[in-house]
Amino acid sequence: ILQGIRSNCHDIDVVISAFYDFYKSGGSDVEVWSHATFDFVIVQNYLEKLNKGFMKHKNARDIRTLVSLSGIDLKKYDWNKKTHNALDDCKFQISYCVDAINILRN
């Protein structure tokens, strides 16, 4: 994993600036999906450091709320699939988010 991270490095200021430009291009009602007390806060701190502005706190969405409302049991999922590789972790989260959404739809 570290080799993959190190082989594709980018300056954090450039990445955060590009992310913010992408965020702003979506208009004023863009919702940000994250772990609201982790990822969202880290990005907000970098935006402040770069004097970019902020993402709207009211538009933060959190996977934990979805899990809680649906009542799914996360212990039933294969946590070995969560490798701390961004793409693998995203696919893992999608799998249980789809299950949670399907429960809520029913």
Side-chain angles (χ1 to χ4, degrees):
I1 292 174
L2 287 178
Q3 183 180 3
I5 292 169
R6 290 180 181 143
S7 68
N8 194 16
C9 293
H10 300 281
D11 180 78
I12 188 68
D13 293 352
V14 172
V15 171
I16 293 294
S17 291
F19 170 79
Y20 189 69
D21 293 343
F22 172 76
Y23 166 79
K24 293 296 283 184
S25 72
S28 62
D29 291 326
V30 172
E31 295 175 343
V32 178
W33 185 265
S34 71
H35 285 285
T37 59
F38 185 75
D39 305 314
F40 192 85
V41 174
I42 291 170
V43 173
Q44 290 285 58
N45 285 330
Y46 267 103
L47 290 172
E48 181 178 22
K49 175 187 170 218
L50 297 174
N51 295 313
K52 285 286 193 181
F54 292 102
M55 297 180 290
K56 292 182 180 179
H57 287 86
K58 72 178 184 99
N59 290 354
R61 300 297 182 260
D62 190 346
I63 196 170
R64 294 170 295 185
T65 303
L66 178 63
V67 168
S68 177
L69 290 172
S70 70
I72 63 172
D73 182 2
L74 291 180
K75 294 176 187 171
K76 294 181 179 179
Y77 292 85
D78 181 3
W79 286 85
N80 291 323
K81 291 182 180 179
K82 188 169 172 37
T83 63
H84 296 292
N85 169 287
L87 182 57
D88 290 341
D89 290 356
C90 182
K91 288 177 181 178
F92 179 71
Q93 288 179 351
I94 287 169
S95 70
Y96 66 81
C97 284
V98 168
D99 292 345
I101 289 168
N102 286 334
I103 288 169
L104 292 171
R105 282 186 176 157
N106 295 329

